Amino acid sequence: MTQETTTLDLGPQTRILARLADGVRDDRLADPTPCPDLAVRNLLGHLTGLAVAFRDAARKDLGPTTDTSPEASVPDVGPGWREELAKVLGELADAWREPDAWTGMTRAGGIDLPGAVAGAVVADELVIHGWDLARATGQEYAPDPAALQAAYGLLAAAAAEEPDRDAGMFGTVVPVPADAPLLERAVGLSGRDPGWTRTA
């Protein structure tokens, strides 16, 4: 997968995600999400873990946080999770503002990859999981346009390389009309049904 070496300010998208998380009521933590087998609390735990992992990937601070596969365990949240998530999302955005984060090689989820690709991956994670969280908790969602464009570019490239995929980083592509909004097209490319609701 070829990615341009460019930088993207993840701050706008991390702030959107932090606001969504802050709007999650405690009585919704056990609700289902568009991510199979993950309740809201597990999705929030995953977001916290990935923020730490990709913060450290940006810093090239490789170790346990960047070596662990996201499938290694089902994440969860504990007391003070809102403050912790907001903190690590802010650190994530700061780390990716450094030009060096986008150059050379790094590691995330136990996979070695170029910094520019890792930046696109984390943009995708933030955008798509923002949609997951908003849908699961009944909140309005409009992602940062630049992050959405980066996520769509990554997802479209992955779909072009593996048109018949049924496993791996992304699920099977869900067909979406070509004239659908960009977010819906990105959601479909990620293997999710844009029409998902919490009663589905």
Side-chain angles (χ1 to χ4, degrees), residues 139-150:
Q139 299 186 69
E140 293 296 320
Y141 180 55
D144 171 61
L148 173 58
Q149 192 64 57

Side-chain angles (χ1 to χ4, degrees), residues 21-22 24 26 29 44 48 77-86:
D22 197 50
V24 176
D26 287 343
L29 289 175
L44 290 163
T48 303
V77 292
W81 64 265
R82 287 181 179 83
E83 295 78 9
E84 180 185 6
L85 179 55

Side-chain angles (χ1 to χ4, degrees), residues 48-58 61 65-68 92 107-109:
T48 303
L50 81 84
V52 170
F54 279 94
R55 174 201 68 193
D56 292 348
D61 183 11
T65 62
T66 61
D67 290 346
T68 304
L92 170 72
R107 186 183 309 130

Side-chain angles (χ1 to χ4, degrees), residues 63-169:
T65 62
T66 61
D67 290 346
T68 304
S69 167
E71 285 80 36
S73 62
V74 177
D76 203 347
V77 292
W81 64 265
R82 287 181 179 83
E83 295 78 9
E84 180 185 6
L85 179 55
K87 174 178 178 288
V88 294
L89 284 171
E91 292 171 349
L92 170 72
D94 287 344
W96 283 98
R97 288 192 182 102
E98 295 296 327
D100 287 350
W102 299 85
T103 63
M105 296 293 294
T106 190
R107 186 183 309 130
I111 299 172
D112 293 322
L113 69 174
V117 174
V121 170
V122 72
D124 169 67
E125 292 275 349
L126 295 171
V127 168
I128 298 300
H129 285 322
W131 181 85
D132 292 331
L133 186 60
R135 278 301 173 98
T137 58
Q139 299 186 69
E140 293 296 320
Y141 180 55
D144 171 61
L148 173 58
Q149 192 64 57
Y152 180 81
L154 177 79
L155 291 162
E161 287 190 4
E162 300 179 84
D164 300 319
R165 68 174 190 247
D166 58 8
M169 182 175 176

